[in-house]
Amino acid sequence: MKNLIKLEEISLFILSIFLFTQLDFSWWWFPLFLLAPDIGMLGYSVNNKTGAIIYNIVHHRALAIGLYIIGAMIDSQVIQFTGIILFAHATIDRVFDYGFKYFDDFKHTHLTETNSEI
């Protein structure tokens, strides 16, 4: 089951690459900004709860999809690009078992709980 879920996440990452190719950006923008959403980890410099909240917001794919749709509606490729990068980053994070964070510890995620049951 775990491999099937990872395959699904990889497929979503490929979708994000495809969506990126529909924009008028040079190819190097995608890898350059792919890790940018990890700036959300700076919240951990305050405390675990703040870090988890900020990290979870930045890594939530609904935010990414919403930004992409808004960008498409107002014809803003920059906003679409932001949504694609957030989506791609959150998806690739899940391939490597980085999930939504609980308040107690950075390593305690929704995937670590799920993985222990699989």
Side-chain angles (χ1 to χ4, degrees):
M1 183 63 67
K2 184 177 177 181
N3 289 334
L4 183 61
I5 293 170
K6 285 185 186 246
L7 182 60
E8 180 181 40
E9 296 296 338
I10 291 168
S11 298
L12 291 172
F13 183 73
I14 292 168
L15 172 64
S16 68
I17 293 171
F18 170 76
L19 292 173
F20 174 76
T21 66
Q22 305 306 299
L23 302 178
D24 295 324
F25 288 91
S26 296
W27 68 268
W28 55 268
W29 285 88
F30 189 85
L32 179 69
F33 281 90
L34 188 58
L35 296 178
D38 277 339
I39 194 106
M41 288 192 291
L42 288 176
Y44 280 96
S45 64
V46 176
N47 61 42
N48 279 348
K49 183 176 181 180
T50 302
I53 290 169
I54 294 171
Y55 183 94
N56 291 343
I57 290 170
V58 172
H59 288 77
H60 201 289
R61 286 188 289 209
L63 172 65
I65 293 168
L67 284 172
Y68 179 81
I69 291 171
I70 290 168
M73 290 174 61
I74 65 172
D75 198 29
S76 171
Q77 289 202 0
V78 171
I79 296 174
Q80 286 177 297
F81 174 71
T82 303
I84 290 169
I85 289 297
L86 289 173
F87 187 85
H89 178 87
T91 300
I92 207 70
D93 266 7
R94 285 170 181 75
V95 169
F96 294 109
D97 290 332
Y98 297 113
F100 291 119
K101 310 299 183 191
Y102 287 99
F103 296 159
D104 60 342
D105 183 30
F106 180 79
K107 293 181 181 181
H108 185 198
T109 73
H110 81 286
L111 295 174
T112 55
E113 285 193 355
T114 303
N115 288 342
S116 65
E117 296 172 10
I118 293 177

